[in-house]
Amino acid sequence: LSRHSGAGRQHAGSPASTVGMIRRDCTRCVAAEEERMELGLKGRTAFVAAASGGLGRGVALAFAAEGCDVGLCARNGSALDTVAMQIRDAGVRAVPTVADLTDRKAVADAVRRTVDTTGRLDALVVNSGGPPPGRFEDIDDEQWQQAYQLTLASAIHLVREALPALR
């Protein structure tokens, strides 16, 4: 992604620049675009879990900037819609699905919608939250069980659902 600041001003904060768009009047942006490595992702499809913010959002936008269609899921529907719009602004398809990663059926539906819409699946990004912040002794068994479902069990469900399309 092309990000920099010059003369104390940043122009990388606009949604267009977060998906790899460049300012044609900026020599640093133009130079960065010319040096960009072709990753061979154009026309492919990636699915990114927990893509409404943070790392998941960044990965989804990076795939879009490379010309990759993106299936994405998250619990926060409005934030997910915002990311989907940014992906579409990059000129590729976005397939957003509101889904809780601890819900096996919702995960299956999200992956299936992506494959049905794009006709393929080439990459899967397993991403989720984790246990609540705090000291070990302050996290009760129920919170650990929820963290297990969110991190490990959801990864198993995502891979299980995506594997047939990835082969």
Side-chain angles (χ1 to χ4, degrees), residues 79-100:
L80 189 66
D81 288 341
T82 299
V83 177
M85 185 178 4
Q86 292 172 323
I87 289 168
R88 290 180 186 114
D89 286 346
V92 296
R93 291 181 287 185
V95 186
T97 305
V98 175
D100 183 330

Side-chain angles (χ1 to χ4, degrees), residues 51-164:
S52 63
L55 182 62
R57 176 184 176 270
V59 170
L61 295 176
F63 273 119
E66 292 296 328
C68 199
D69 293 329
V70 183
L72 58 160
C73 72
R75 290 179 292 197
N76 183 332
S78 62
L80 189 66
D81 288 341
T82 299
V83 177
M85 185 178 4
Q86 292 172 323
I87 289 168
R88 290 180 186 114
D89 286 346
V92 296
R93 291 181 287 185
V95 186
T97 305
V98 175
D100 183 330
L101 291 175
T102 63
D103 180 343
R104 189 178 201 167
K105 183 182 179 318
V107 168
D109 290 344
V111 172
R112 190 175 311 111
R113 275 193 70 226
T114 298
V115 174
D116 289 349
T117 300
T118 66
R120 62 186 303 152
L121 185 60
D122 302 289
L124 171 66
V125 178
V126 176
N127 177 48
S128 68
R135 298 180 328 179
F136 181 87
E137 61 268 18
D138 295 334
I139 300 172
D140 65 29
D141 288 346
E142 184 179 331
Q143 290 171 309
W144 279 116
Q145 183 62 32
Q146 290 170 347
Y148 164 80
Q149 290 296 323
L150 184 60
T151 56
L152 183 59
S154 69
I156 292 167
H157 301 319
L158 279 164
V159 171
R160 182 172 284 140
E161 293 304 324
L163 195 56

Side-chain angles (χ1 to χ4, degrees), residues 4-26:
H4 74 274
S5 60
R9 297 173 64 195
Q10 285 192 324
H11 66 264
S14 69
S17 67
T18 62
V19 293
M21 300 299 187
I22 63 170
R23 280 185 40 181
R24 298 286 174 207
D25 62 337
C26 175

Side-chain angles (χ1 to χ4, degrees), residues 2 22-24 26-36:
S2 176
I22 63 170
R23 280 185 40 181
R24 298 286 174 207
C26 175
T27 56
R28 289 177 69 191
C29 277
V30 172
E33 182 68 12
E34 289 171 356
E35 293 176 20
R36 188 181 190 141

